[in-house]
Amino acid sequence: MKISKKISVISAAVALFCGTAMAVAADTKDQPWMNQKLAARERADLVLKEMSLDEKLKLVFGYMGAEWKNTPPPAEARTQSAGFIPGVPRLGIPNLWEADAGIGVASQAGPNAREATALPSGLNTAATWDPNTAYAGGAMIGAEARAFGFNVMLAGGVNLMRDPRNGRNFEYGGEDPLLAGRIVGAQIKGIQSNRIVSTLKHYALNDQESGRTTLDVKIDDRSARMSDLLAMQIAKEEGNPGSVMCSYNRVNGVYACENSYLLNEVLKHDWGFQGWVMSDWGATHSTIAAANAGLDQESGFPFDLSNYFAAPLKEAVQNGWVPPARLDDMVRRILVPMFEHGVIDHPVAAPAPATIDFKAHAAVSIKDAQEGMVLLKNSGGVLPLKASAQRIAVIGGYADKGVLAGGGSSLVYPVGGNAVPGLEPKTWPGPVMVYPSSPLKALQRRLPKASMRFNDGADPAAAARLAKDSDVVVLFATQWTGEGMDVPNLSLPKNQDALIAAVTAANPKTVVVLETGGPVTMPWLPQAAAVLEAWFPGTGGGEAIAGVLTGETNPSGHLPATFPASESQLPRPVLDGYPEVENRRFDVDYHEGAAVGYKWFDLKELKPLFPFGYGLSYTEFAMSDLAAEVKNGVLQASFKVKNTGRVAGKQVAQVYVAPLQAKWEAPKRLAGFQKLDVKPGASARGSVSIDPRLLAVYESASKTWKVEAGDYRLVLAASAMDPQASSVVVHLDAATYDVNGKPLKE
Ligand code: BGC
């Protein structure tokens, strides 16, 4: 029998777990908190009693895990990492080793950058509309985090897409609270299945990057609870993250990391969050105010102006400005998830990247990419590309070398290194990274009879000449985005619209593949034969794209965000605070309230370029038999999806609800969805249970969700603007639900 040298991380981790579980069991006499039969809370209380003031203070003060401002990280920090918090070895409390982020185990820039597997962007994962895929991706990157010696992953980004120009949209889950919350929640769960902690971030309303550390978001409680906060609430419920990261911005005048309304009231009191709140790196601004408002751990020394949770916190506790019981609460909140999620019972070991099966992990990433790519247009059956001999021009987007990744702290350095080093910007939030997975080569392998020629697209006239002399053209266009910046507008940068116009004019059989951080405008759309939105497609992006273009995989992604026809359709046609002026404080008025994305477009009767939920397939579906009933107080919808085409495919059935009498923030909301795999000619039945919060309006004074008695139209559709949608009307009685959507007696 041949035994592979590389074992799967999962089995390596299991071996580790068993070893440590036995070692830990022996200690329970002297260290009763090591008794795994006790509840996490009980264990945390037992160990808390043994801790000195200084030991408690150590746990609430975090360091940057890489050199910053000429300050080296603590010696025990993992190389080029985001964070480090020393544990309490005499009590068996391990260090916390923190790694970014939601796309994989990221690395701070530097000579020792770690190479890991990158998932496609968060938006791509949201575009899968499949929590199982999100979970699998989370489980994979969490396994790598453990193999690299990390026990906290700074993942779980679920800031709502209020503005398609936000440079970090690619890290998040799109514009709808239900979709984003479910997908990111599933990813968090997958990460934590490795007995490590994930965060949920950036709490809250950190929806643009320009001026992110100075801007003040204006929004009322009700609108926030029905939009951004709802996405976070759902992700928290689905994923049970051990930690929440508070954000840089201010909300209604108060910094998020010292905002008692956000931290003490909404997160801890109303939602019952039992874990710890860590600050974003540089987002702590005070000692007493922050500690008493609910911040449990300052992150990333030396990012903040001062070491607020070091000596100043000790003084504040000693003189009573921060009650000692509050310090205990801070520490308990760190310890409880460490016990609950297995960080203490199954400690991470020194980094062992050699144990990672990168091939198997790339396959997880490729599956995610293929499930999330969105076919936006396909006229004349140009796709899938035919296997017969033909001359194919491949143009632009570094397609001969690889696929684009987004920039900033979430950047995963790929195995094999940057395929196109030296692109600008080379420094933060760069380097611009191109993963070494060439779509051109992956296409050549799949279409051996075709003659393929590449042109880099730098000269539109030359590209057009090649296009003219080809049977079909595959043109790659890119939009790089990154943390700490927004894009100036929704146009493809670097003259690529002109390139596409020239190429489509030369050859109308042009397939445009987009690798973008989010929505872009497409002035050339009528002239292009096909468009595939491939987002930032991750480690194996070239393979994933070629698989979809050749029909090996039938595309099944649907947009997790509206693609506007122009910036003028947005609630803020001009992005506040752009371009950024350092230290300028300004307000961002979220006057659209909870009417985010398609809800805004519905409300204002605007026609987008592509609606939320939209996505084509190589087959056709017919959806029918929509029925609704209230069972045990829960509204449920069932339906049928028939594959009426010739190949197997997956349909994303979406159920929207529109009130006929009640007044909502917008005409309709997504209330449920299900992705169904259907063979040609076959039918599948689907059903969704509807969260009552999606049928209700939040009432701030009573902290309840109120469903108004009346008629509600349930719409079964394949997008937010599906002309073939069918609907039924149901009558709902008045009902009241608590702040977490649990029924209350009328
Ligand atoms: C980002 C966080 C990240 C942290 C640590 C910050 O700049 O906003 O998302 O986790 O840095 O790298």
Side-chain angles (χ1 to χ4, degrees):
M1 191 172 74
K2 217 173 126 205
I3 297 176
S4 154
K5 268 215 287 206
K6 294 206 174 178
I7 46 171
S8 125
V9 183
I10 315 247
S11 50
V14 168
L16 268 173
F17 294 165
C18 300
T20 42
M22 280 185 311
V24 160
D27 287 342
T28 56
K29 207 164 133 266
D30 295 337
Q31 300 190 329
W33 54 89
M34 289 301 185
N35 181 353
Q36 295 179 22
K37 295 204 181 93
L38 301 179
R41 168 70 198 244
E42 209 176 328
R43 297 174 73 183
D45 281 336
L46 283 169
V47 71
L48 188 58
K49 273 198 250 157
E50 302 297 320
M51 290 172 73
S52 67
L53 176 62
D54 285 330
E55 284 169 339
K56 291 175 188 172
L57 287 161
K58 260 170 64 177
L59 269 189
V60 301
F61 185 75
Y63 297 80
M64 175 76 188
E67 183 167 328
W68 188 257
K69 294 187 198 158
N70 296 322
T71 307
E76 290 158 286
R78 304 290 190 220
T79 315
Q80 302 306 121
S81 67
F84 174 77
I85 294 100
V88 189
R90 77 173 181 98
L91 301 174
I93 306 303
N95 300 332
L96 291 175
W97 284 283
E98 298 172 330
D100 284 306
I103 283 152
V105 184
S107 188
Q108 300 292 320
N112 303 317
R114 153 187 332 96
E115 298 187 346
T117 306
L119 287 171
S121 62
L123 263 187
N124 178 101
T125 302
T128 68
W129 293 65
D130 181 17
N132 294 331
T133 298
Y135 178 92
M140 183 275 282
I141 62 172
E144 289 199 3
R146 174 168 273 280
F148 283 115
F150 293 105
N151 50 18
V152 179
M153 240 191 147
L154 309 174
V158 67
N159 295 92
L160 224 51
M161 193 192 292
R162 277 183 187 266
D163 200 299
R165 292 162 293 196
N166 176 3
R168 286 189 99 171
N169 280 333
F170 76 92
E171 292 188 53
Y172 306 144
E175 71 189 23
D176 181 74
L178 177 68
L179 178 64
R182 286 246 173 105
I183 294 290
V184 177
Q187 192 200 32
I188 291 171
K189 214 176 186 178
I191 292 170
Q192 294 193 153
S193 70
N194 294 283
R195 293 167 170 178
I196 62 172
V197 158
S198 175
T199 56
L200 173 74
K201 71 187 191 183
H202 307 85
Y203 186 79
L205 292 140
N206 179 184
D207 298 343
Q208 70 172 59
E209 290 296 283
S210 308
R212 66 176 175 171
T213 60
T214 51
L215 64 80
D216 186 13
V217 165
K218 303 290 184 199
I219 191 166
D220 63 285
D221 173 61
R222 181 174 76 171
S223 298
R225 300 242 193 192
M226 292 169 60
S227 57
D228 290 63
L229 294 181
L230 182 57
M232 298 227 161
Q233 188 179 18
I234 293 173
K236 181 225 157 241
E237 291 162 0
E238 302 273 328
N240 186 25
S243 182
V244 167
M245 187 190 291
C246 52
S247 55
Y248 287 121
N249 52 295
R250 291 176 290 151
V251 176
N252 294 326
V254 185
Y255 278 112
C257 290
E258 54 187 52
N259 193 313
S260 184
Y261 157 75
L262 283 178
L263 305 180
N264 282 337
E265 186 180 335
V266 176
L267 179 67
K268 294 181 177 178
H269 177 269
D270 295 347
W271 299 353
F273 176 65
Q274 301 290 319
W276 86 96
V277 176
M278 67 168 77
S279 58
D280 200 343
W281 276 228
T284 307
H285 297 279
S286 62
T287 301
I288 298 166
N292 289 338
L295 177 64
D296 300 307
Q297 188 181 61
E298 179 180 6
S299 305
F301 166 83
F303 262 78
D304 289 316
L305 282 182
S306 191
N307 302 335
Y308 299 106
F309 277 22
L313 182 60
K314 183 171 186 175
E315 193 187 320
V317 171
Q318 282 169 332
N319 66 26
W321 286 101
V322 173
R326 170 65 188 127
L327 178 63
D328 282 354
D329 175 47
M330 294 158 78
V331 174
R332 187 184 297 110
R333 286 176 168 281
I334 298 168
L335 292 170
V336 167
M338 287 177 78
F339 281 114
E340 182 185 350
H341 297 294
V343 168
I344 293 177
D345 296 334
H346 309 285
V348 291
T355 61
I356 300 174
D357 185 344
F358 284 115
K359 213 170 154 211
H361 288 189
V364 175
S365 175
I366 290 171
K367 161 114 190 337
D368 186 341
Q370 290 183 326
E371 291 272 339
M373 281 179 201
V374 185
L375 183 62
L376 293 172
K377 179 174 180 185
N378 189 16
S379 56
V382 64
L383 289 178
L385 297 172
K386 314 286 170 292
S388 53
Q390 52 180 336
R391 294 167 308 153
I392 302 181
V394 176
I395 295 172
Y398 323 106
D400 56 332
K401 303 256 170 36
V403 291
L404 199 61
S409 59
S410 69
L411 177 64
V412 176
Y413 285 67
V415 178
N418 194 345
V420 189
L423 294 173
E424 292 294 345
K426 293 189 199 112
T427 54
W428 177 263
V432 174
M433 180 68 70
V434 177
Y435 291 150
S437 174
S438 156
L440 171 66
K441 289 181 188 145
L443 275 174
Q444 274 166 336
R445 274 196 296 280
R446 285 171 177 79
L447 302 172
K449 288 191 199 143
S451 97
M452 260 177 236
R453 286 175 295 170
F454 180 73
N455 175 288
D456 68 7
D459 173 6
R465 278 196 298 278
L466 175 65
K468 202 169 182 126
D469 188 37
S470 302
D471 299 316
V472 55
V473 181
V474 185
L475 191 160
F476 289 80
T478 60
Q479 177 212 41
W480 183 77
T481 69
E483 180 180 344
M485 56 170 268
D486 297 318
V487 291
N489 52 52
L490 298 177
S491 300
L492 284 168
K494 299 186 180 164
N495 218 21
Q496 291 176 99
D497 283 336
L499 170 69
I500 304 175
V503 168
T504 50
N507 189 336
K509 272 185 97 176
T510 295
V511 177
V512 179
V513 179
L514 296 168
E515 291 170 28
T516 66
V520 289
T521 47
M522 306 177 200
W524 36 262
L525 185 63
Q527 284 77 44
V531 182
L532 178 70
E533 174 56 81
W535 316 107
F536 297 146
T539 285
E543 294 298 323
I545 291 170
V548 168
L549 292 179
T550 56
E552 188 182 290
T553 316
N554 192 349
S556 62
H558 283 243
L559 294 180
T562 308
F563 275 44
S566 85
E567 295 82 1
S568 65
Q569 295 181 321
L570 299 171
R572 279 162 295 287
V574 175
L575 189 66
D576 293 311
Y578 187 92
E580 183 158 342
V581 175
E582 215 185 330
N583 294 330
R584 185 172 63 186
R585 293 163 81 94
F586 60 95
D587 294 350
V588 181
D589 183 359
Y590 286 150
H591 60 87
E592 73 277 27
V596 177
Y598 64 90
K599 294 169 185 163
W600 170 261
F601 278 71
D602 276 355
L603 188 66
K604 299 289 167 188
E605 297 179 349
L606 296 165
K607 192 174 177 310
L609 185 62
F610 291 107
F612 173 83
Y614 182 80
L616 301 172
S617 161
Y618 295 148
T619 190
E620 307 266 309
F621 298 99
M623 297 203 284
S624 63
D625 296 21
L626 175 64
E629 60 171 333
V630 178
K631 235 196 213 164
N632 303 325
V634 179
L635 178 60
Q636 306 198 321
S638 64
F639 44 84
K640 194 169 111 180
V641 175
K642 182 165 189 209
N643 183 338
T644 56
R646 287 201 217 116
V647 288
K650 293 179 185 169
Q651 172 68 313
V652 175
Q654 301 155 41
V655 176
Y656 295 86
V657 179
L660 298 187
Q661 294 93 26
K663 189 141 175 40
W664 286 0
E665 74 283 7
K668 68 173 184 288
R669 300 174 186 155
L670 178 72
F673 59 90
Q674 192 177 18
K675 192 168 196 175
L676 290 165
D677 194 352
V678 199
K679 299 247 159 8
S683 296
R685 288 210 68 86
S687 66
V688 296
S689 293
I690 296 175
D691 186 317
R693 288 169 292 192
L694 297 167
L695 302 168
V697 170
Y698 184 76
E699 189 183 84
S700 295
S702 61
K703 291 197 175 184
T704 57
W705 295 87
K706 285 201 177 310
V707 176
E708 202 177 293
D711 299 326
Y712 293 78
R713 184 180 297 282
L714 260 67
V715 183
L716 174 65
S719 84
M721 289 194 174
D722 182 358
Q724 277 158 22
S726 58
S727 69
V728 293
V729 174
V730 291
H731 181 85
L732 297 179
D733 296 334
T736 306
Y737 298 83
D738 76 5
V739 71
N740 294 304
K742 301 277 167 297
L744 289 172
K745 290 250 161 347
E746 262 304 281

